[in-house]
Amino acid sequence: SAGRLGKHIDTRAHGGYVVAAGSTLPNGAYEVVDPTDPVPLPEWLYAILTPRQPTRGLMAVPVPVRASRYAAAALRAETAAVAGAGEGSRNWTLVRAARALGRFIPSGDLDRHEVEQALNSAGLAAGLRENECRAAVTSALNWSIANNPGRPA
């Protein structure tokens, strides 16, 4: 869950450790300073920290005719990432995917309309609303196209 709760917050535990009362480090031992019982973990926090189950493979995305194999693979991978994004990271994942795929549009490797359709469908599959998807995809593609000019002639 690195970064899911916020910047520089990492809650991964496999292979890690927990520091709490009773833990001893070279500089001393941790002690209880407030004996108040801990409160149950809120549902919203539990949902964010629960690992997503990889239930989706790559989405079935029509491969554009003129797309290079690399661009077509990127389209499949990015749409799968968006469709599998969990609550709290869906919009960010959609924007990141659109920016990544937008660089293939000026070069002619991908068609903007095909990218928009694939990403909007993936965003809907992830649980975003249609207007959220369209706005995020349009803005991110515009940014990417402006910042990634096509191949020189």
Side-chain angles (χ1 to χ4, degrees), residues 82-94:
V82 171
E87 190 170 345
S89 66
R90 296 178 299 196
N91 192 274
W92 176 85
T93 304
L94 179 62

Side-chain angles (χ1 to χ4, degrees), residues 18-32:
V18 174
V19 178
S23 299
T24 304
L25 297 174
N27 295 339
Y30 281 80
E31 298 175 19
V32 174

Side-chain angles (χ1 to χ4, degrees), residues 1 4-6 9 11 39-51 87:
S1 69
R4 260 194 245 168
L5 292 177
I9 299 175
T11 59
V39 296
L41 188 67
E43 264 315 301
W44 67 267
L45 186 55
Y46 179 78
I48 291 172
L49 296 174
T50 302
E87 190 170 345

Side-chain angles (χ1 to χ4, degrees), residues 52-108:
R52 291 186 293 260
Q53 299 301 318
T55 56
R56 294 183 177 108
L58 295 179
M59 283 188 66
V61 176
V63 177
V65 176
R66 68 174 188 262
S68 67
R69 287 181 14 185
Y70 182 77
L75 181 63
R76 285 191 303 273
E78 293 295 350
T79 53
V82 171
E87 190 170 345
S89 66
R90 296 178 299 196
N91 192 274
W92 176 85
T93 304
L94 179 62
V95 168
R96 188 200 50 73
R99 286 185 170 186
L101 293 172
R103 69 188 180 99
F104 294 107
I105 294 170
S107 64

Side-chain angles (χ1 to χ4, degrees), residues 13 22 25 28 47 55 57-60 81 86 94 97 113 117 119 130 147-148:
L25 297 174
T55 56
L58 295 179
M59 283 188 66
L94 179 62
H113 181 70
Q117 281 187 316
L119 289 177
E130 187 173 353
N147 288 281
N148 292 290

